[in-house]
Amino acid sequence: NDLNESKLAELRLIKIGFIFQRFNLIAPLTALENVMMPLLLQGKGEQDAKAKATAALTKVGMGDRMQNLSNDLSGGQQQRLCIARTLAVKPTVILMDEPASALDPISNAKIEDLIAELKQHYTIIIVTHNMQQAARISDRTAFFYLGELVEFDTTVNIFTAPKEEKTQSYITGRFG
């Protein structure tokens, strides 16, 4: 609350990684240039930014696509590109909004595998309506209804023994 807009922007640039449902890539840039962009905005030199971007793209399995324009990539590749862009800045927290929405099953599995690996090193917060995915990849789950926190517990407890009736109804598909 005490930070001005400039300080908030700096905080978001350095400490928080965002993975959006819609990729928000810069179309005329290559995959490498898209990943370099936040590093250059942080004031990193071009060679340092290029090295970090290359490493991040390689980590997400996109090392062979660095020179492709972002619009020439599949949806799954674009999402991995977004993850690489986030990883390159080494944030403290990664926020993901429907990270595998509208992806084919193979791309979805690659994203989930990547998330499983990343959660060993980062705090990751995912917003999703995909209950099966939440059950597979999360350690803790919060259920919100109409903007209110209904229940928060381990994922196992939420999916096997929810305490709240609204949570039970949602998980079993009675509403939502």
Side-chain angles (χ1 to χ4, degrees), residues 117-164:
E117 180 183 337
L118 295 176
K119 74 180 186 179
Q120 305 304 314
H121 308 285
Y122 296 93
T123 297
I124 300 176
I125 299 170
I126 299 173
V127 174
T128 186
H129 294 89
N130 185 330
M131 293 298 96
Q132 293 82 12
Q133 183 178 66
R136 284 191 302 269
I137 64 175
S138 62
D139 297 321
R140 296 184 141 316
T141 297
F143 173 64
F144 287 83
Y145 181 72
L146 299 176
E148 303 261 338
L149 177 63
V150 174
E151 189 168 351
F152 177 71
D153 204 339
T154 64
T155 298
V156 170
N157 286 344
I158 291 285
F159 282 92
T160 60
K163 294 178 184 92
E164 300 296 327

Side-chain angles (χ1 to χ4, degrees), residues 8 13 52 67 72 118 122 125 130 176:
L8 284 171
L13 180 64
K52 288 179 179 178
Q67 297 308 316
D72 292 338
L118 295 176
Y122 296 93
I125 299 170
N130 185 330

Side-chain angles (χ1 to χ4, degrees), residues 5 13 15 31 35 37 48 82 92 101 110 122 125 147 150 173:
E5 286 302 315
L13 180 64
K15 296 288 186 183
V35 177
M37 185 60 63
D48 186 31
C82 294
T92 304
S101 175
K110 286 181 182 180
Y122 296 93
I125 299 170
V150 174

Side-chain angles (χ1 to χ4, degrees), residues 36-84:
M36 288 175 63
M37 185 60 63
L39 297 165
L40 295 171
L41 290 171
Q42 285 182 346
K44 306 273 191 255
E46 190 163 340
Q47 291 305 315
D48 186 31
K50 186 174 185 178
K52 288 179 179 178
T54 298
L57 284 162
T58 301
K59 180 166 187 63
V60 301
M62 296 286 296
D64 62 337
R65 303 274 188 220
M66 285 191 255
Q67 297 308 316
N68 288 72
L69 295 176
S70 60
N71 283 348
D72 292 338
L73 300 171
S74 71
Q77 291 169 333
Q78 288 182 13
Q79 192 64 301
R80 286 187 286 144
L81 171 55
C82 294
I83 293 171

